[in-house]
Amino acid sequence: MTIELPDVIAAYFSADKTGDARAISECFTFDAVVVDEGNTYAGREAIRQWMANASTQYTYTVEPFALEEDGARSVVTSRLVGTFPGSPVDLRYRFVLRDDKIAELEIVP
């Protein structure tokens, strides 16, 4: 199933496929916040390091398959398959956008 994602969210998932942590961080506002696995990462540099570490710790693919709007959030449900415990898993990526960038991202089961 093909879904139409907002441009910056599509850019995020595209950069994730290539493992480009810098390109991923550039999808975010300078003061963005990411919450993943109970950890909070604030600011572009922390987000870049979070993604760089995730890319070296596990090998995975992510495939978005659903999009819904929940108030100010765009919620993208994606299938993650890889070398991590519990694979495969469907995760919800809750994005808040500001000025065509990602201001907040929370990743939850």
Side-chain angles (χ1 to χ4, degrees):
M1 169 192 272
T2 302
I3 57 173
E4 180 109 8
L5 296 173
D7 289 344
V8 72
I9 295 175
Y12 169 88
F13 283 110
S14 178
D16 192 21
K17 282 185 180 183
T18 65
D20 188 341
R22 180 154 313 282
I24 288 171
S25 70
E26 290 173 2
C27 294
F28 288 84
T29 61
F30 285 105
D31 61 345
V33 173
V34 171
V35 177
D36 182 34
E37 296 184 296
N39 297 305
T40 301
Y41 307 91
R44 270 193 189 163
E45 181 56 22
I47 292 167
R48 186 196 64 73
Q49 289 179 338
W50 158 71
M51 187 50 66
N53 291 340
S55 295
T56 59
Q57 191 172 13
Y58 302 113
T59 301
Y60 64 91
T61 60
V62 59
E63 193 62 45
F65 65 85
L67 170 66
E68 63 182 82
E69 298 301 320
D70 180 18
R73 286 186 166 84
S74 297
V75 181
V76 178
T77 305
S78 298
R79 165 89 19 114
L80 236 66
V81 178
T83 59
F84 57 88
S87 177
V89 64
D90 290 344
L91 296 178
R92 287 173 289 150
Y93 292 69
R94 297 176 179 160
F95 293 93
V96 175
L97 305 182
R98 184 175 70 227
D99 300 327
D100 297 321
K101 295 282 187 184
I102 301 166
E104 297 175 26
L105 171 58
E106 180 183 18
I107 304 172
V108 295

